[in-house]
Amino acid sequence: MDGAVRAALLANNVRRKNAKKGLSFTVMCVGASGLGKSTFVNTLCESNVFPKKDTSSPEKAAVEKTVAITPVTVEMEEDGVKLSLTIIDTPGFGDNINNEASFADILTYIEKQYDDILAEESRIKRNPKFQDHRVHALLYFITPTGHSLRELDIEFMKKLGARVNVIPVIAKSDTMVPSELAAFKKRVMEDIANYKIPIYYFPYDDEEDDEETIEENNELRAMLPFAVVGSEEEVILNGRRVRCRQYPWGVVEGILKFFGSDFILIFLFSSHLHSLKEITDDDLYEKYRTEKLSREGAVDEDDDDEEQPAT
């Protein structure tokens, strides 16, 4: 059988299994308050996944400054494949002068999912209904300052990049004209390179991957950090009901098509979903597992040495 035909058959078999069984995927959204994370998620899912918070009074606004990790699962379907998409919001992140606690809360949550997997793997009889809640991708929303990354951005992405696939996005990108946005993107990527910040850089193998995959991933690399904008407002334009942002000079139409699903659906409903899950399982989790078991082994050896009777 021809290699290309065999590959096509295998791909079809995987597609049929996925369509029947369904897929699960977990995305965490992190960024300072007011960057439109909840609005973006609601726009992407076309539903009120994260209701607007009531901050009509200073007292209520102040109360919601603590980090509250909030997972919500949405059932979606694309091209006949069912997807159980868990989206984790992190309201309150970056709102304090000292954000070390915010870093710790989010890192602890991510590592807790790894600990649950490790504990399940250690069981003699595993639970067939066990659910894997590991975070496969972290969308980090960057404030559209037009300058460069803030210290908060650098420190957070460096700390979390070793545990999760970090994907940087520029929030509220419609606040900048195209030339400003392009310049800001360039400075952000320069900072990421200079500070050696680990991000999901759409990896590929020159020897194993085909030209189409390599070309697609290079195009996506060139788009980083992704520019996003969301809107929950719907208006009638040319007889169609669309989500858009209205301005005195006109409207930003096609929010999902051009600013959201441009990259989100690429990795959610194609090979990048599997790539992100594979990296989470084979690289990030395995690294965490090795580090944790090594630490525990070192502790056990120290305990054994202490228990040895003196001669």
Side-chain angles (χ1 to χ4, degrees):
M1 185 183 294
D2 182 76
V5 175
R6 187 185 298 111
L9 289 174
L10 287 172
N12 286 333
N13 287 335
V14 171
R15 215 172 282 119
R16 280 198 297 271
K17 289 180 181 179
N18 288 339
K20 182 178 180 180
K21 185 179 178 182
L23 299 169
S24 61
F25 194 81
T26 301
V27 180
M28 177 178 278
C29 298
V30 179
S33 298
L35 290 182
K37 300 187 302 298
S38 298
T39 299
F40 175 75
V41 169
N42 293 343
T43 304
L44 174 67
C45 298
E46 298 186 297
S47 61
N48 195 29
V49 178
F50 294 116
K52 289 184 177 180
K53 299 178 179 63
D54 182 8
T55 55
S56 55
S57 68
E59 292 79 10
K60 290 182 179 179
V63 167
E64 299 190 331
K65 291 300 182 183
T66 56
V67 176
I69 297 175
T70 312
V72 175
T73 300
V74 181
E75 302 299 329
M76 306 175 71
E77 187 169 336
E78 182 77 9
D79 296 333
V81 178
K82 295 179 180 179
L83 175 69
S84 180
L85 175 63
T86 299
I87 305 171
I88 305 170
D89 195 11
T90 55
F93 171 83
D95 293 339
N96 301 313
I97 296 175
N98 185 347
N99 290 287
E100 286 296 322
S102 300
F103 291 10
D105 289 343
I106 294 171
L107 182 61
T108 298
Y109 180 90
I110 291 172
E111 292 184 343
K112 171 66 166 58
Q113 314 315 311
Y114 288 155
D115 288 336
D116 290 346
I117 290 286
L118 184 55
E120 181 63 22
E121 289 178 346
S122 303
R123 293 179 183 273
I124 296 176
K125 186 176 182 181
R126 298 187 185 182
N127 180 5
K129 295 183 179 180
F130 176 81
Q131 293 185 331
D132 181 359
H133 294 297
R134 285 176 293 185
V135 180
H136 302 112
L138 187 151
L139 301 182
Y140 185 74
F141 286 70
I142 299 168
T143 304
T145 62
H147 303 298
S148 57
L149 289 177
R150 301 172 303 163
E151 184 178 350
L152 172 68
D153 304 325
I154 295 167
E155 290 301 316
F156 179 82
M157 287 194 286
K158 285 188 73 171
K159 285 188 177 182
L160 273 293
R163 293 288 182 253
V164 67
N165 292 300
V166 174
I167 300 175
V169 300
I170 298 173
K172 295 186 174 182
S173 60
D174 55 330
T175 59
M176 292 182 279
V177 300
S179 59
E180 292 173 334
L181 181 59
F184 185 43
K185 281 189 170 195
K186 183 180 179 182
R187 283 192 287 270
V188 168
M189 292 308 294
E190 287 173 351
D191 283 345
I192 286 173
N194 290 337
Y195 291 102
K196 297 180 173 57
I197 299 172
I199 63 171
Y200 180 74
Y201 198 51
F202 295 93
Y204 60 80
D205 190 308
D206 287 313
E207 296 182 356
E208 295 186 4
D209 290 325
D210 56 49
E211 292 183 6
E212 184 179 349
T213 299
I214 294 173
E215 182 180 358
E216 179 185 272
N217 282 8
N218 277 324
E219 289 176 357
L220 290 167
R221 287 181 176 187
M223 293 169 64
L224 286 169
F226 296 108
V228 300
V229 60
S231 175
E232 297 178 76
E233 297 179 27
E234 290 188 348
V235 299
I236 304 297
L237 289 177
N238 300 322
R240 297 180 298 115
R241 182 177 293 276
V242 297
R243 288 173 181 260
C244 65
R245 284 192 178 276
Q246 291 183 296
Y247 298 96
W249 45 263
V251 298
V252 177
E253 185 187 350
I255 298 294
L256 277 175
K257 182 177 179 182
F258 297 109
F259 292 97
S261 59
D262 237 15
F263 74 96
I264 294 291
L265 297 186
I266 282 173
F267 69 72
L268 286 185
F269 300 124
S270 71
S271 60
H272 291 86
L273 180 149
H274 299 287
S275 170
L276 286 159
K277 295 189 74 167
E278 285 176 2
I279 291 174
T280 300
D281 191 28
D282 299 340
D283 297 340
L284 300 171
Y285 168 65
E286 282 301 319
K287 181 181 179 182
Y288 175 79
R289 176 180 174 276
T290 300
E291 290 175 358
K292 179 157 188 175
L293 293 179
S294 297
R295 288 196 303 269
E296 292 178 350
V299 170
D300 290 341
E301 288 180 6
D302 290 342
D303 291 342
D304 290 340
D305 291 340
E306 291 178 3
E307 291 175 5
Q308 290 293 328
T311 56

